Amino acid sequence: MGFHYQVLLAAVALVSLVGLGQAGLREVHDVSQLTGQQANKAKFSTDVATDKYTPPEEMDPKFWYDLAYEEIAKRLELPQPNAKKAKNIIMFLGDGMSLSTVAAARILKGQRQGNTGEESSLSFETFPYTGLSRTYCSNAQVPDSACTATAYLCGVKTNIIEIGVSAAVTYNNCTQSQDPANRLTSIAEWAQNAGKSTGIVTTTTLTHASPSGAYAKTANRMWQCDTDVTSYGVDSSTCIDMATQLVTQTPGKNFDIMFGGGMGKFLPKTINDSHGKAGERSDGVNLLSKWQAQHTGGVLVTNRKQLLSVNVSAVSSIIGLFESSLMNFHLKADETYQPTLSELTEVAIKKLSQNDGGYFVFIEGGLIDYGNHYTQAGYALDEALEFEKAIGLARNLTDIEDTLIVVTSDHGHALSISGYPGRGTNILGLNQHDSDVNGVKYATLNYAVGPNQYLDENGERIDLTDQIGGDDFIFPSYITQSQGVHSGDDVGIFASGPQAHLFAGVMQQSTIPHLMAYAACIGDGPKVCDLS
């Protein structure tokens, strides 16, 4: 592959990011790639999406419930530091935040403070208990954010691309997703049933895969509005889109807080949203008007000033939609217009804390994943640092005696830190202490898969000294693809507060909500309250 073609690839990738403040981020999740449909069938049937193998026993939600209860029982056989109950649960999800992303972000944090960086710590790394989460899904060795959201919010592993339904449901199958036996409940619903306030916060869209795990039941994560459902050959009047589920069905309609992007999914094509873009719905329904009619004491906010002006004591609920589609990277956003994740977190906690019975809130740093998909580590690491600021704020705003905070990721990314660079080497730069066989220095951070290999006409690596360094630099990768891909390695879990000690060791990702429910005495499973 020639040098000029590599330059063209880089130019195309960068042009797509120009004007992010106006155009927003582009979607990176391609169904054909996630399902494997873009690959040819070869060797054995599990190579192709529609034939991906799902172990039959894993199609029954009870399999995962039983496994979670076994993991809880094993942890309870160990000495228990305390028997405290969690009044509140805050779950922080760093989308695509691999352990390599955590380490690189830690270094960048320290280097921004003028230190060598390696000795720094992120806010959640100071939490007293850590563990590892196994991220595979029922038919996927490497998962997406849909099947993982079902695991860590509903407590059941399912098939890739699916949310809130069991692995008995096949991709894009509306009929199977409607079967009550295949539909799951989330920890948000368990919390509501216990009288707690609930909310979702994300920097992606309210109908994106991760937050949707708290409320949606769908055979295709892309069914975000009725137009999307129809585009996949499904009757939108039969299979209810995720935006409609959020506004009209339990538990979504009962959320006290909903913060994120994606305003277009809630509005008809015939009107423009608050950000100047046309809505996306074909059914003519204005879901925001419907939400307002159902929440007469609720308020809609669409920018930072409106958010920070809300008197949380005077409103019953708040929906914030801060972009037509995805919110923008922190580094590219208009800071006077788009609120930070910390600001969203603070308003959410202040509102939810008004319930004397406690609350559950899901808070996602969703654009870590996008930075890694673009193989633009500068964006990914900055998003991780915004994420860790919000976590530190949440811990300071809450009481460690009654509020359990769990920090984790849905999946990793194929980002590596390598090459023996010396202490203090710019984590976003070249490794000054090693070179390849041709004497060319290489980046400390590299991706396994991505758009740019930076090769000359002879297939040899080029010197990146004059290119690397900017926040928007596209880092080198080994395998050529239009974007970076997820990885199948375990991700970290970091916990602080009541029953945090249970989040140590290696566990199935689907055990996480059951552990949180145990700590808060909600749901139908084992509870710490049963011991008293």
Side-chain angles (χ1 to χ4, degrees):
M1 186 176 293
F3 169 68
H4 295 296
Y5 181 67
Q6 289 293 325
V7 171
L8 177 61
L9 275 178
V12 169
L14 286 173
V15 165
S16 68
L17 289 169
V18 170
L20 286 179
Q22 293 75 40
L25 301 185
R26 71 186 189 279
E27 181 55 70
V28 296
H29 300 94
D30 182 349
V31 164
S32 66
Q33 182 183 39
L34 293 173
T35 59
Q37 291 174 355
Q38 65 184 20
N40 293 322
K41 189 169 183 177
K43 292 188 178 180
F44 51 90
S45 63
T46 55
D47 282 346
V48 176
T50 53
D51 296 322
K52 279 185 175 178
Y53 174 70
T54 301
E57 65 274 13
E58 295 186 15
M59 296 181 183
D60 185 351
K62 185 176 182 298
F63 174 86
W64 298 107
Y65 270 65
D66 289 345
L67 185 57
Y69 297 161
E70 288 176 15
E71 291 195 338
I72 292 174
K74 289 178 182 178
R75 282 164 171 75
L76 294 179
E77 291 174 358
L78 302 172
Q80 301 299 298
N82 64 71
K84 294 177 181 177
K85 171 187 173 182
K87 174 183 175 182
N88 311 309
I89 305 172
I90 304 176
M91 183 178 187
F92 277 97
L93 193 284
D95 198 308
M97 191 178 70
S98 60
L99 289 174
S100 59
T101 302
V102 171
R106 172 202 310 149
I107 294 171
L108 179 60
K109 177 182 180 179
Q111 292 182 347
R112 284 181 172 181
Q113 295 169 340
N115 302 316
T116 55
E118 297 81 7
E119 69 290 336
S120 186
S121 292
L122 304 177
S123 60
F124 55 87
E125 291 183 304
T126 65
F127 284 7
Y129 296 97
T130 59
L132 292 173
S133 168
R134 301 172 66 181
T135 63
Y136 71 91
C137 288
S138 288
N139 69 342
Q141 197 171 68
V142 177
D144 77 327
S145 294
C147 59
T148 51
T150 306
Y152 62 71
L153 286 169
C154 300
V156 174
K157 292 201 176 193
T158 192
N159 296 324
I160 198 166
I161 302 183
E162 298 174 5
I163 302 172
V165 294
S166 74
V169 177
T170 54
Y171 162 66
N172 218 48
N173 190 312
C174 178
T175 301
Q176 291 175 343
S177 70
Q178 298 292 323
D179 186 339
N182 297 333
R183 293 165 74 85
L184 308 173
T185 57
S186 75
I187 189 171
E189 187 167 348
W190 309 342
Q192 288 178 6
N193 290 340
K196 296 184 183 296
S197 294
T198 52
I200 54 174
V201 177
T202 181
T203 50
T204 60
T205 67
L206 290 181
T207 52
H208 219 255
S210 301
S212 296
Y215 67 86
K217 298 167 179 60
T218 178
N220 185 343
R221 62 178 284 178
M222 300 302 182
W223 292 348
Q224 296 183 54
C225 74
D226 68 307
T227 306
D228 301 325
V229 177
T230 303
S231 72
Y232 281 90
V234 176
D235 181 1
S236 61
S237 65
T238 301
C239 233
I240 307 303
D241 64 89
M242 290 148 65
T244 300
Q245 290 184 43
L246 178 57
V247 171
T248 67
Q249 297 184 359
T250 300
K253 67 179 182 179
N254 299 321
F255 286 156
D256 302 87
I257 290 290
M258 295 182 286
F259 291 160
M263 196 171 191
K265 302 297 184 183
F266 297 86
L267 297 174
K269 295 178 177 179
T270 53
I271 64 174
N272 283 351
D273 65 20
S274 300
H275 311 287
K277 303 286 182 61
E280 299 183 39
R281 302 192 65 83
S282 301
D283 58 8
V285 175
N286 185 329
L287 286 174
L288 298 182
S289 294
K290 182 170 288 191
W291 179 87
Q292 189 69 72
Q294 296 169 349
H295 301 81
T296 54
V299 62
L300 166 67
V301 294
T302 60
N303 58 53
R304 181 176 183 268
K305 181 178 179 181
Q306 292 176 0
L307 174 75
L308 300 183
S309 298
V310 172
N311 179 353
V312 296
S313 300
V315 298
S316 62
S317 49
I318 314 171
I319 182 170
L321 288 162
F322 304 103
E323 187 49 81
S324 300
S325 184
L326 298 157
M327 292 175 67
N328 285 325
F329 286 131
H330 168 252
L331 286 173
K332 300 291 290 188
D334 178 348
E335 62 184 16
T336 66
Y337 188 79
Q338 178 174 296
T340 65
L341 185 58
S342 292
E343 289 168 338
L344 296 173
T345 297
E346 182 170 4
V347 174
I349 290 175
K350 286 181 176 178
K351 175 58 190 170
L352 297 172
S353 296
Q354 293 179 326
N355 185 343
D356 291 336
Y359 59 84
F360 168 81
V361 62
F362 171 82
I363 303 175
E364 181 193 23
L367 300 183
I368 302 169
D369 181 60
Y370 277 75
N372 277 328
H373 271 297
Y374 297 167
T375 64
Q376 291 179 300
Y379 288 137
L381 301 190
D382 182 75
E383 291 297 317
L385 293 182
E386 287 300 298
F387 181 63
E388 73 100 19
K389 288 177 187 175
I391 296 166
L393 175 67
R395 187 69 285 174
N396 289 334
L397 287 175
T398 56
D399 188 345
I400 197 171
E401 296 296 317
D402 68 8
T403 302
L404 171 65
I405 298 181
V406 177
V407 180
T408 189
S409 178
D410 49 354
H411 56 75
H413 261 276
L415 171 68
S416 66
I417 311 172
S418 55
Y420 315 109
R423 283 290 297 273
T425 296
N426 180 3
I427 192 63
L428 295 175
L430 291 179
N431 175 3
Q432 298 299 325
H433 300 93
D434 198 15
S435 58
D436 66 13
V437 294
N438 296 317
V440 179
K441 290 184 173 64
Y442 54 89
T444 300
L445 300 179
N446 293 273
Y447 289 87
V449 178
N452 284 16
Q453 287 67 52
Y454 297 104
L455 307 176
D456 64 17
E457 59 273 12
N458 297 315
E460 301 290 347
R461 293 180 52 257
I462 64 173
D463 187 345
L464 295 176
T465 301
D466 296 332
Q467 297 187 47
I468 199 169
D471 291 317
D472 60 355
F473 176 73
I474 298 173
F475 275 76
S477 51
Y478 166 58
I479 298 168
T480 306
Q481 267 275 21
S482 61
Q483 63 184 36
V485 297
H486 299 170
S487 63
D489 41 313
D490 296 350
V491 296
I493 308 172
F494 310 82
S496 170
Q499 303 303 310
H501 59 278
L502 298 177
F503 293 86
V506 181
M507 69 185 71
Q508 292 288 359
Q509 191 170 52
S510 49
T511 297
I512 292 173
H514 296 289
L515 285 173
M516 292 189 292
Y518 174 87
C521 298
I522 61 177
D524 296 327
K527 304 173 180 64
V528 68
C529 300
D530 296 338
L531 303 179
S532 58

